[in-house]
Amino acid sequence: MNSAPRKVRFEHIGVPLMGLLFAGALIYMVAGPRPEYAQIPLALTAALAFAVALTAPGLVVRATAWAAGIFATSMTLLSWALLTVDNDGEAWNDVIVWFAVAVAPVGFLWVSWRLPRARADTVVAEAGLLLIGAIQLWAFTFGYSTNQSGSTEFPVTGAAVYGAVALTFCAAALIVPTRRIAYGSAALAAAVIAALAKPFFTNEETHFAGIGFATVDQLYALCVLGLPALGFVLQIAWTLRVRLRGHRLPAA
């Protein structure tokens, strides 16, 4: 009895191609004449991985593809930060950098909007995107505050970045009712930093004027770590309270 031919799906082509691109990027980093060009196959690897994650029918394949895409995105940004010498201003370099930077916020909102909660691929995607987003934000803050230290002008870029982060978490909180407290607290933290951008980013003194009990770094850590951590704990407490009372959680 003749069996029907197996249907070729996108992941059957995409996964091997991802492996080839990633291997080529690593080889070019080590032995290529222009190691910074490794950003190109790394970015293509990430794009392919996300395409597989969005189209594959298998749960394990989707979760693995999300993890691979997030890792490839991180490698793209790392290669840009460490290997770029004279590519700044070149069109291909700008496109790759903006693609890698946009993965975290755009992907996070898409996952919040489209993927069901408590599923393996959702957990991997949400956790990974939040992690690389946090690393990107820390790297930006460290570099930007170093450059702006002592400046008399308002740090527009810093305020805009944290304002965008606040809006991203606000949107996610509206989309996902079961994360509303956690995401809302993260939005509040980003909004506070955006509102206090000038003292946070340009202050050369150890303490804020008139505030002697904590340094600038301690107050920043309180906002960027303390408020989200408090929201995370309150979110868990609210979820347990709803379940212990026998109520259903709001549909995500």
Side-chain angles (χ1 to χ4, degrees):
M1 182 177 178
N2 293 329
S3 59
R6 185 182 179 186
K7 183 179 179 181
V8 177
R9 296 195 296 264
F10 178 72
E11 66 265 27
H12 296 154
I13 302 171
V15 172
L17 187 55
M18 284 163 47
L20 289 173
L21 285 169
F22 188 74
L26 294 182
I27 293 171
Y28 201 82
M29 276 186 189
V30 175
R34 294 285 298 274
E36 62 270 23
Y37 282 0
Q39 297 170 51
I40 298 174
L42 284 172
L44 291 174
T45 302
L48 269 174
F50 292 134
V52 171
L54 297 178
T55 58
L59 186 61
V60 174
V61 175
R62 290 200 302 269
T64 305
W66 275 112
I70 290 166
F71 179 73
T73 301
S74 303
M75 288 293 292
T76 303
L77 288 169
L78 187 63
S79 67
W80 169 75
L82 298 180
L83 301 177
T84 297
V85 178
D86 55 2
N87 292 336
D88 287 337
E90 294 188 16
W92 68 268
N93 187 67
D94 293 342
V95 169
I96 288 175
V97 171
W98 279 109
F99 162 76
V101 169
V103 162
V106 174
F108 175 63
L109 286 178
W110 193 94
V111 168
S112 299
W113 176 44
R114 298 294 297 175
L115 297 189
R117 301 294 98 190
R119 205 172 69 180
D121 57 335
T122 307
V123 173
V124 170
E126 186 176 28
L129 291 167
L130 284 172
L131 177 62
I132 64 168
I135 293 172
Q136 288 177 25
L137 193 60
W138 175 84
F140 164 79
T141 302
F142 180 80
Y144 185 74
S145 60
T146 300
N147 292 333
Q148 292 293 313
S149 180
S151 173
T152 58
E153 298 181 358
F154 184 80
V156 176
T157 302
V161 167
Y162 275 91
V165 172
L167 290 175
T168 300
F169 276 111
C170 280
L174 292 174
I175 295 170
V176 188
T178 55
R179 301 283 194 276
R180 194 155 287 168
I181 299 173
Y183 290 166
S185 64
L188 176 61
V192 168
I193 295 173
L196 299 176
K198 186 167 176 56
F200 269 126
F201 290 118
T202 65
N203 193 41
E204 287 187 298
E205 303 297 328
T206 305
H207 295 75
F208 282 123
I211 300 179
F213 63 86
T215 66
V216 173
D217 290 340
Q218 289 169 342
L219 288 171
Y220 175 82
L222 180 63
C223 289
V224 81
L225 297 176
L227 285 175
L230 177 61
F232 181 73
V233 171
L234 292 176
Q235 185 71 71
I236 292 175
W238 175 84
T239 302
L240 291 175
R241 177 175 174 271
V242 170
R243 288 180 173 172
L244 288 173
R245 290 190 171 192
H247 300 309
R248 293 173 63 90
L249 290 173

